[in-house]
Amino acid sequence: MLLTITAAKGLEDVLLAELQQLCPTLTFQLKPGLVLVEGEMADMYRICLHSRLANRVLLQLAEGSVTHADHLYQLASGVDWPAHFAVERSFAVDFHGTDNTIRNTQFGALKVKDAVVDLYQQRLNRRPNVDKQEADWRLHVRLHRQVAKLYLDVSGGSLHQRHYRLETGEAPVKEHLAAAMLIRSGWTADMSKPLLDPMCGSGTVVIEAALMAANIAPGLSRRHWGFSHWLGHDESLWTQLVQLAKQAQVIPSSVFYANDISQSMVDMARDNARSAGVEQWIHFSHGSVENLTAPCEQPGFIVTNPPYGERLGELANLLPLFASWGSQLKVAFKDWHVSMLTSNRDLLRQMKLSASKQYNLMNGKLECQLVNYLLDERNCEVREAPQNNDFANRLGKNLVKLKKWLKTQNVNCYRVYDADLPEYNVAIDVYADWVVVQEYAAPKNVPEAKTRQRLMEVVAALPAALNVAADRIVLKVREQQKGAKQYNKLDQRREYIEVYENGAKLWVNLHDYLDTGLFLDHRVTRQLVQARSRHKEVLNLFSYTGSVSVHAALGGARRITTVDMSRTYLEWAKRNFSLNRLSGAYRFEQADCLQWLKSDRGEYDLIFIDPPSFSNSKRMNNVWDVQRDHIALLADAVKRLAPGGEIIFSNNLRKFKLDEEAVQALGLSITDWNAKTLPEDFKRNPKIHHCWLFTKQA
């Protein structure tokens, strides 16, 4: 019997060692993602029943050259399928690999399926059913370099599914990966040592450890096998091997501990352990790793799958957590071995531990490392964190400069850093007692690992530098936003905080959108609008969340019309008016500003226009480009402007060039407000926006 045992990337060598132990008389051949062997029926059953690391066990039925699609059909037609499975049994085809002949796996699977069905039809005048989800048996096809191999999937699906997990957390580690972590950690060399998972989640790591120590075969709990309905299946041999596996079970000599900060996860882990039959050997606890102490006197092993911080928003909380946890480990877990799986090595570096070994593993499609540490005397030395780095120094200087200015301002939202140092390519804004860090997309020639390390340094420095709690730091990535993407939500928290600015109170949302609802660089511009609004008819186009309209109302505007295409932003604007207890002749229009302006017949003393640089939103009739279209927009605005009226025109396209001749031809005089509208906290970046005052000749 030719068998192919598949493995996840990075597990091939540990799988090979496991198979050699299970079947010591066989000669195995190791290939990327595969182990090949020729064995007997008992060997096949033994691997299915006992392997903790294999994905699938495949029994080869046919092999042949495929240089034309019909060759694949012919190869599948050459197998005597009715001799393997009764026609009443449903089947499915799993097809892997493509080449110049078979360029689509669905097409390849269809060809093989047709061959199987046609053979049954010819032999028995009946057709078996195809069931992709709950098939009685699965035909596995692998195509590589115009050679196709047909297999019976005797495992009946991936062997990592032990079927004891009743529930899982948000990012559970698969069972076979948990087993690999335990082997790579070194714990399996002496399973009498205590084992602790301090971030146990749904309990997979510690449950797998208990199953190993009790010598409970992982296949005993499997509900379905691919060979169950195979006509070549030897039921008596299988039953004998299952009985031997049950007789080999032992009571573990080790003690297992599972802890998690979430009580609901601890309860879930306990339920899963009960389902696996190992609950009685595991001690469960609930608490933060920052306060966790060694559960027993004998040093043992910590094996865990901590959060990776794959979502930017998680990093701010995780960085101080890992730093604090590292300090706690050095004090409370001396002489313990620690193994952690991560896709973010920079997080583990916060613990200030020296690794003894590391292994590359795949957690699903995520490239990870299992990093091993020994908490010996050298690793338990207290290491002082560097007192300063370039970023912290620059941030400190910025704060000193802003301190005197802030004393003269009536604001609690402002910018403290804006990519001052190219290697720390972020913008940092304070909103009351929150901090928003926007990471600008790095150039393609800058390695991702480098940018991530710099971001870690930024976030690690902020709590002390800005006296802000780690859970009040919000991280985002800012890149060029075009089309529908510019309106996409980042989150769904719907959490708003109140900030104030020069007498106005405003709502901001720091999580759900790339922008917060308040453009801080327009603070001075809003003050100028407020100063010019008394007794005026004011129009605010592309109004966003209406902060300019609020300032106009506070400035005593007679009437205000606020126009934006987004219902969400207009509702936000209305909430800003309510927050300031403003009521009066205030109109809110949801519309494409360009089309609305063409049809409007009002007359306004002051028009504020701050359009996007580019938009191809489906809600707009045409693609908008501020450089190309700004004169056409101003021409329509002038028609609505009262004699002697003013237009404040702004945009943030860095390379924007105002067509001054065309503006003057519209009967407008031009006053450059670029420098005048630049707030003190944005003077490091004078191109943050452009702004002009246009006055209509009386």
Side-chain angles (χ1 to χ4, degrees):
M1 303 179 73
L2 295 177
L3 300 175
T4 294
I5 302 99
T6 66
K9 185 179 179 181
L11 299 189
E12 297 94 337
D13 56 341
V14 284
L15 172 61
L16 175 62
E18 179 193 54
L19 295 175
Q20 289 171 334
Q21 187 175 11
L22 288 174
C23 305
T25 62
L26 301 184
T27 301
F28 295 90
Q29 182 181 1
L30 184 63
K31 290 195 172 185
L34 305 170
V35 177
L36 308 179
V37 69
E38 185 172 358
E40 303 296 329
M41 184 82 75
D43 300 314
M44 182 185 75
Y45 288 153
R46 193 173 291 111
I47 293 169
C48 286
L49 186 58
H50 290 279
S51 178
R52 302 181 191 277
L53 302 168
N55 271 347
R56 295 174 187 267
V57 180
L58 307 173
L59 171 62
Q60 185 170 319
L61 301 177
E63 177 181 357
S65 175
V66 176
T67 58
H68 189 276
D70 289 341
H71 295 164
L72 187 60
Y73 181 93
Q74 293 166 7
L75 178 64
S77 298
V79 178
D80 188 2
W81 298 110
H84 288 282
F85 291 96
V87 70
E88 293 83 8
R89 298 301 176 188
S90 61
F91 78 104
V93 179
D94 299 320
F95 198 99
H96 298 265
T98 58
D99 58 18
N100 292 333
T101 303
I102 308 295
R103 299 182 180 182
N104 183 286
T105 56
Q106 290 184 338
F107 173 73
L110 183 62
K111 275 288 183 183
V112 173
K113 185 269 294 181
D114 287 345
V116 175
V117 169
D118 290 349
L119 185 63
Y120 275 98
Q121 185 70 39
Q122 293 167 9
R123 293 276 190 89
L124 306 175
N125 201 30
R126 291 178 60 191
R127 299 165 60 92
N129 290 328
V130 176
D131 187 339
K132 295 181 179 180
Q133 301 301 322
E134 301 291 337
D136 292 326
W137 63 280
R138 306 192 76 88
L139 172 54
H140 192 94
V141 186
R142 300 179 77 88
L143 177 66
H144 181 63
R145 293 182 179 178
Q146 296 186 326
V147 174
K149 295 182 180 181
L150 275 59
Y151 303 91
L152 167 61
D153 181 356
V154 293
S155 50
S158 180
L159 288 174
H160 83 267
Q161 297 175 334
R162 318 280 205 239
H163 298 289
Y164 58 71
R165 296 203 298 197
L166 305 176
E167 291 184 86
T168 63
E170 188 173 323
V173 63
K174 290 183 177 180
E175 296 91 326
H176 66 315
L177 181 57
M181 290 168 60
L182 292 162
I183 294 170
R184 291 294 200 196
S185 73
W187 174 76
T188 54
D190 183 1
M191 290 189 289
S192 66
K193 294 287 182 67
L195 187 127
L196 162 67
D197 184 349
M199 292 182 170
C200 69
S202 56
T204 305
V205 170
V206 73
I207 291 171
E208 286 295 314
L211 291 171
M212 286 179 168
N215 198 31
I216 297 175
L220 286 176
S221 59
R222 193 168 182 82
R223 300 163 188 168
H224 172 76
W225 294 98
F227 55 71
S228 297
H229 302 294
W230 180 41
L231 297 180
H233 172 48
D234 188 337
E235 181 63 30
S236 62
L237 176 58
W238 171 248
T239 302
Q240 179 184 351
L241 292 173
V242 168
Q243 289 302 318
L244 289 174
K246 291 180 178 178
Q247 293 169 10
Q249 295 177 15
V250 298
I251 296 176
S253 57
S254 52
V255 185
F256 306 95
Y257 302 91
N259 177 83
D260 200 274
I261 194 170
S262 166
Q263 183 62 57
S264 63
M265 294 306 300
V266 173
D267 294 340
M268 185 185 300
R270 191 190 305 273
D271 290 342
N272 289 339
R274 185 181 304 118
S275 174
V278 296
E279 179 193 11
Q280 66 273 28
W281 299 317
I282 302 174
H283 299 271
F284 294 92
S285 62
H286 164 230
S288 171
V289 293
E290 298 171 278
N291 304 315
L292 198 62
T293 58
C296 56
E297 293 184 2
Q298 181 188 7
F301 285 75
I302 293 174
V303 183
T304 192
N305 176 40
Y308 305 159
E310 285 299 308
R311 296 180 62 185
L312 271 183
E314 299 173 342
L315 283 178
N317 289 325
L318 292 179
L319 286 170
L321 171 64
F322 275 76
S324 176
W325 186 18
S327 299
Q328 178 69 3
L329 285 173
K330 294 172 185 179
V331 173
F333 288 87
K334 289 181 179 179
D335 297 325
W336 280 65
H337 294 262
V338 179
S339 294
M340 299 186 194
L341 186 70
T342 186
S343 67
N344 185 354
R345 188 67 182 274
D346 289 317
L347 263 181
L348 299 193
R349 291 191 177 98
Q350 305 304 310
M351 306 180 79
K352 296 178 174 57
L353 296 171
S354 297
S356 55
K357 272 190 176 182
Q358 64 184 48
Y359 302 93
N360 294 325
L361 299 172
M362 295 296 294
N363 187 2
K365 295 182 179 180
L366 201 59
E367 294 183 2
C368 295
Q369 290 179 319
L370 182 73
V371 187
N372 290 351
Y373 306 93
L374 173 60
L375 297 178
D376 55 10
E377 186 175 337
R378 179 175 63 93
N379 248 334
C380 288
E381 291 177 358
V382 177
R383 303 179 192 177
E384 293 295 331
Q387 295 301 309
N388 293 296
N389 61 33
D390 291 341
F391 167 76
N393 290 338
R394 176 54 67 92
L395 183 59
K397 291 178 181 178
N398 289 354
L399 292 171
V400 170
K401 289 181 180 179
L402 290 173
K403 188 174 182 181
K404 185 180 294 185
W405 169 76
L406 282 171
K407 289 182 178 179
T408 68
Q409 301 297 303
N410 181 27
V411 300
N412 70 343
C413 41
Y414 49 91
R415 178 154 293 185
V416 295
Y417 179 92
D418 195 356
D420 303 33
L421 304 173
E423 59 269 34
Y424 296 97
N425 196 25
V426 299
I428 302 175
D429 297 320
V430 172
Y431 289 86
D433 55 354
W434 288 76
V435 173
V436 175
V437 180
Q438 298 185 60
E439 182 189 24
Y440 295 115
K444 293 182 180 179
N445 61 343
V446 178
E448 183 181 350
K450 187 76 170 179
T451 60
R452 189 151 191 159
Q453 181 180 350
R454 295 299 194 194
L455 183 61
M456 297 284 184
E457 293 177 21
V458 168
V459 177
L462 289 180
L466 297 179
N467 191 28
V468 61
D471 61 0
R472 295 210 163 193
I473 298 175
V474 181
L475 272 69
K476 302 176 182 180
V477 174
R478 175 172 284 281
E479 54 189 350
Q480 187 174 10
Q481 303 291 303
K482 291 187 176 182
K485 187 177 180 182
Q486 63 192 314
Y487 305 105
N488 285 353
K489 281 194 170 187
L490 302 180
D491 212 330
Q492 297 287 335
R493 295 194 183 192
R494 298 183 180 88
E495 295 176 1
Y496 293 81
I497 68 167
E498 180 185 323
V499 297
Y500 61 83
E501 171 192 278
N502 299 315
K505 294 184 286 187
L506 300 162
W507 292 113
V508 292
N509 183 321
L510 306 184
H511 295 93
D512 291 356
Y513 305 88
L514 181 62
D515 291 310
T516 63
L518 185 64
F519 296 130
L520 299 183
D521 61 296
H522 272 312
R523 185 188 311 113
V524 175
T525 313
R526 288 187 286 271
Q527 286 182 275
L528 291 170
V529 170
Q530 181 170 339
R532 281 174 143 72
S533 294
R534 187 164 183 79
H535 303 313
K536 299 282 184 68
E537 183 94 16
V538 177
L539 171 62
N540 182 9
L541 293 173
F542 306 97
S543 66
Y544 191 34
T545 61
S547 56
V548 168
S549 297
V550 168
H551 277 272
L554 293 173
R558 185 173 70 253
R559 292 186 181 86
I560 302 172
T561 301
T562 303
V563 187
D564 197 273
M565 190 165 53
S566 167
R567 178 181 298 176
T568 298
Y569 290 151
L570 277 180
E571 291 300 321
W572 196 331
K574 292 176 184 177
R575 291 185 63 214
N576 280 334
F577 270 71
S578 297
L579 181 62
N580 290 274
R581 298 183 179 179
L582 294 169
S583 60
Y586 306 135
R587 184 162 56 120
F588 299 87
E589 297 283 349
Q590 183 190 354
D592 174 352
C593 291
L594 302 176
Q595 298 303 313
W596 182 90
L597 190 58
K598 289 180 183 296
S599 61
D600 181 53
R601 292 296 175 262
E603 185 176 77
Y604 306 95
D605 305 301
L606 178 61
I607 302 177
F608 179 77
I609 307 176
D610 182 33
S613 299
F614 175 89
S615 179
N616 62 356
S617 170
K618 293 179 181 178
R619 292 176 289 180
M620 296 182 70
N621 289 346
N622 299 297
V623 174
W624 162 261
D625 184 307
V626 70
Q627 183 63 69
R628 182 192 65 202
D629 301 325
H630 70 283
I631 294 300
L633 170 60
L634 291 173
D636 288 334
V638 167
K639 296 174 184 177
R640 308 274 61 83
L641 196 61
E646 297 175 325
I647 297 175
I648 299 175
F649 176 70
S650 176
N651 71 78
N652 65 350
L653 179 65
R654 295 295 177 93
K655 296 181 179 180
F656 180 80
K657 298 294 183 184
L658 180 68
D659 189 341
E660 294 189 9
E661 289 186 11
V663 172
Q664 291 169 343
L666 294 174
L668 298 172
S669 62
I670 303 172
T671 304
D672 189 329
W673 271 12
N674 285 308
K676 185 174 183 175
T677 59
L678 188 65
E680 182 69 25
D681 48 332
F682 283 86
K683 286 188 175 178
R684 297 181 302 279
N685 185 5
K687 294 184 178 180
I688 190 70
H689 68 240
H690 308 278
C691 191
W692 293 269
L693 174 68
F694 303 140
T695 305
K696 186 176 181 180
Q697 299 171 6

